[in-house]
Amino acid sequence: MNGIERKLLSQEAAMQLKALKKINIWKNIAVAISTLGVALTYAGAAGTDLNIFLTIFGVIVILLGAGSAAILITGLKNGRRNVEKMLRILEEGKPYEV
């Protein structure tokens, strides 16, 4: 691996780490939205009068938030694995294979 390839791979790893940090922030937001869905569901179901619309809306918010978080967690896992491969290649000095 020559110097230019090494530099480009290092820059790519740095950019992917930066992107992973942003994805982690979005994952935290998705979890927070799911938590708000739990609060909405509880508010709709816990009162003396059952508010079916608030309960249904809360369940939908839970599902959307949890589903989004699951997708983002999968992306984080795969992205971290990819960065680890790049860093391993940089340490070993072997040619980069796609």
Side-chain angles (χ1 to χ4, degrees):
M1 175 180 288
N2 64 24
I4 294 173
E5 289 175 337
R6 185 182 267 316
K7 181 181 176 185
L8 290 175
L9 190 59
S10 176
Q11 287 175 347
E12 179 66 26
M15 287 189 300
Q16 286 195 16
L17 283 173
K18 186 177 178 182
L20 287 172
K21 288 179 184 178
K22 288 181 182 180
I23 292 171
N24 194 38
I25 291 170
W26 281 103
K27 178 201 60 141
N28 291 338
I29 291 170
V31 170
I33 289 172
S34 181
T35 304
L36 288 175
V38 171
L40 289 172
T41 303
Y42 181 76
T48 56
D49 295 331
L50 178 65
N51 188 344
I52 193 72
F53 296 111
L54 189 58
T55 304
I56 292 172
F57 181 68
V59 170
I60 291 170
V61 170
I62 290 171
L63 293 175
L64 290 176
S68 299
I71 291 169
L72 292 168
I73 288 170
T74 303
L76 281 169
K77 185 176 80 171
N78 292 337
R80 287 182 184 132
R81 189 179 318 135
N82 190 33
V83 170
E84 287 174 6
K85 286 179 184 178
M86 283 190 243
L87 294 177
R88 193 175 321 118
I89 289 170
L90 284 172
E91 288 175 1
E92 295 172 359
K94 292 182 180 178
Y96 183 67
E97 296 178 7
V98 179

